[in-house]
Amino acid sequence: LEKEKKWEDAAILYRAILTMNSNNFEANYRFGLLYITLQDLNNAFKYLDTALKLNKNHPQVLYQMGILLFSSDKFKESIDYLEKAQELGINTATLYLYLGISYEKTNQLEKAKENLEKAINLDPNDVKLKSLIDQLHKKIIINTDQGANENKTSMIDDEQGEDIKIPVNKKAVKARLNNQGDN
């Protein structure tokens, strides 16, 4: 029924199965996926969570739960589920894409870069991935530059290790020499 996009009919059958046996892993998992398709994230979470309680190491359930949490802006939780799914054998560009973005959202830029690069290695023709990596590289450069600037507290700090020409104006030279003597 799902393949034929008969969502309501599929939902009726899953409800019937779960009425007879609420601990049916496959019905909970498939019902969770159905609710993702229908964009009902609360019910999707409910059924995927039940499936996960029935089989805590099912890589596909962990993967779907990670994506669900990602779509709810719960990036730290998403990372936990996606990392576990990856450890259990999920190795797709999409998994690494979600991991990369989640790491970026939690300001773990090097891990974000590592995962986006894994995604592009698995799907080298994905233009969106290439764009995300380029944006991330720029963000890393900006953060690195800001970090270097945060350590400087004054003009004297800025000038440490720099070859600075002495001004030609004698008053400026005298003022500069007097300023350095005060520190």
Side-chain angles (χ1 to χ4, degrees), residues 2-167:
E2 287 182 66
K3 288 179 183 177
E4 297 171 10
K5 299 183 181 184
K6 295 181 179 179
W7 312 123
E8 290 303 317
D9 293 339
I12 290 168
L13 288 177
Y14 288 135
R15 272 191 212 93
I17 292 168
L18 291 172
T19 298
M20 292 185 287
N21 178 8
S22 63
N23 290 327
N24 183 305
F25 168 81
E26 192 67 25
N28 278 291
Y29 172 59
R30 300 293 313 168
F31 212 6
L33 293 179
L34 177 65
Y35 276 119
I36 289 173
T37 302
L38 298 173
Q39 296 295 300
D40 182 344
L41 301 186
N42 290 331
N43 275 320
F45 182 81
K46 172 184 167 185
Y47 288 100
L48 287 177
D49 190 51
T50 301
L52 203 52
K53 287 175 183 167
L54 296 169
N55 185 349
K56 67 179 181 176
N57 289 318
H58 192 282
Q60 285 296 328
V61 177
L62 290 161
Y63 174 71
Q64 292 298 332
M65 188 66 94
I67 292 173
L68 184 61
L69 289 164
F70 175 92
S71 65
S72 300
D73 294 337
K74 296 179 180 177
F75 302 111
K76 286 183 181 182
E77 294 91 337
S78 175
I79 290 169
D80 293 338
Y81 285 94
L82 293 171
E83 286 283 353
K84 181 114 184 200
Q86 188 271 327
E87 289 170 16
L88 293 171
I90 304 288
N91 186 37
T92 65
T94 306
L95 174 120
Y96 292 114
L97 168 68
Y98 283 111
L99 268 173
I101 295 171
S102 293
Y103 277 121
E104 182 180 0
K105 296 285 188 180
T106 58
N107 208 30
Q108 299 177 66
L109 301 183
E110 288 303 319
K111 285 187 175 184
K113 177 183 170 188
E114 177 184 315
N115 281 282
L116 289 177
E117 286 174 350
K118 286 179 184 178
I120 199 77
N121 284 337
L122 291 170
D123 190 359
N125 297 321
D126 189 321
V127 177
K128 182 180 178 183
L129 277 173
K130 290 177 183 178
S131 174
L132 285 172
I133 288 175
D134 289 344
Q135 290 171 14
L136 181 62
H137 282 293
K138 290 174 186 172
K139 190 173 185 178
I140 289 171
I141 289 168
I142 289 169
N143 281 359
T144 302
D145 289 346
Q146 285 177 347
N149 288 335
E150 287 174 1
N151 294 328
K152 296 179 181 178
T153 57
S154 69
M155 185 188 313
I156 299 298
D157 288 340
D158 289 343
E159 294 173 355
Q160 294 300 315
E162 298 289 329
D163 183 23
I164 299 184
K165 306 270 189 236
I166 300 292

Side-chain angles (χ1 to χ4, degrees), residues 155 159 164 166-167 171-181:
M155 185 188 313
E159 294 173 355
I164 299 184
I166 300 292
K171 283 184 180 178
V173 170
K174 194 172 189 178
R176 183 155 185 80
L177 291 175
N178 287 337
N179 273 344
Q180 285 182 346

